Amino acid sequence: YYLDSANKLFLTQSNVGISTCGNAGIDNKRIEFYIEDFIEENSQCNAEEIANKIIPYFKGLRNDLDTTFHVCDYSRCFRVYTKSEQVLDCNDTFNPCGIVWNGDNYVVSRLLNGYFCINNEGNPGDKGAYRQVPWEKFKIIDAIEFIKFAMETAIKMQRFHQEEHTIGGEIKILS
């Protein structure tokens, strides 16, 4: 089931942010309670240490968990996949600015990635006009405003899709 009130954003005492998408519960208990326990046990760890401890901790609770975690501080960002048991350093793997997104990402991906126009036969044709977002020039307030815009747009767009809604509720941003 889906809840707009599920807490999926957390901050440790060492200023490491943790966000989740995917399964928001383990055995009928919200994942946020497990994350709070995990944070209490690892409150002084840095982003890399936390990223590497998530899989063993959560696999110990539920072996088939399919949740993605983002673990970030002001200099490093990691993407943790519990299902495939992968920890990816986003700064090395994706881009130098550490811009990552997961979950129901159809709308955000369409906003941020290039796309193909449909030709007269209904097949992908030429690549559409694309305006690169100048991430490296953003100040923190610009990044916060862009994140809020992207999330609000995704939530509003879901209203017009036939699929079950998987995002919504209050938008929380760590800065």
Side-chain angles (χ1 to χ4, degrees):
Y1 58 90
Y2 298 95
L3 299 170
D4 281 347
S5 62
N7 188 12
K8 297 178 131 190
L9 185 63
F10 307 88
L11 183 64
T12 70
Q13 288 180 357
S14 56
N15 289 320
V16 174
I18 302 172
S19 67
T20 70
C21 62
N23 291 357
I26 298 174
D27 298 330
N28 295 319
K29 186 176 176 184
R30 289 184 184 193
I31 199 167
E32 67 188 87
F33 298 113
Y34 297 103
I35 294 171
E36 288 168 358
D37 290 343
F38 173 82
I39 288 172
E40 191 173 307
E41 291 177 24
N42 298 283
S43 63
Q44 299 303 316
C45 293
N46 65 36
E48 185 171 11
E49 292 168 331
I50 288 174
N52 287 312
K53 289 181 177 188
I54 284 177
I55 291 172
Y57 181 86
F58 284 93
K59 285 291 189 173
L61 297 171
R62 181 156 185 168
N63 195 40
D64 64 343
L65 186 66
D66 187 9
T67 300
T68 300
F69 292 84
H70 292 159
V71 180
C72 306
D73 59 20
Y74 283 107
S75 62
R76 301 289 300 275
C77 183
F78 297 89
R79 191 180 280 180
V80 180
Y81 297 99
T82 59
K83 187 174 184 177
S84 62
E85 299 186 21
Q86 290 181 298
V87 177
L88 302 176
D89 185 334
C90 298
N91 299 75
D92 295 337
T93 311
F94 298 100
N95 59 65
C97 298
I99 308 301
V100 295
W101 61 94
N102 272 90
D104 190 347
N105 60 22
Y106 171 78
V107 173
V108 174
S109 292
R110 290 294 306 261
L111 286 171
L112 299 180
N113 293 326
Y115 61 91
F116 290 93
C117 296
I118 302 298
N119 63 22
N120 291 337
E121 292 81 38
N123 298 316
D126 295 331
K127 198 163 188 179
Y130 176 61
R131 295 181 180 169
Q132 181 75 28
V133 176
W135 301 112
E136 66 282 352
K137 296 180 181 172
F138 275 20
K139 294 182 178 180
I140 191 74
I141 191 67
D142 297 324
I144 291 168
E145 287 298 316
F146 188 88
I147 291 165
K148 187 174 178 187
F149 159 75
M151 293 174 76
E152 287 172 343
T153 302
I155 290 166
K156 288 177 182 177
M157 188 67 186
Q158 237 182 16
R159 175 175 170 226
F160 302 103
H161 291 172
Q162 292 181 4
E163 294 87 16
E164 197 162 358
H165 294 190
T166 60
I167 55 176
E170 180 184 358
I171 295 172
K172 297 178 182 176
I173 298 171
L174 297 177
S175 60

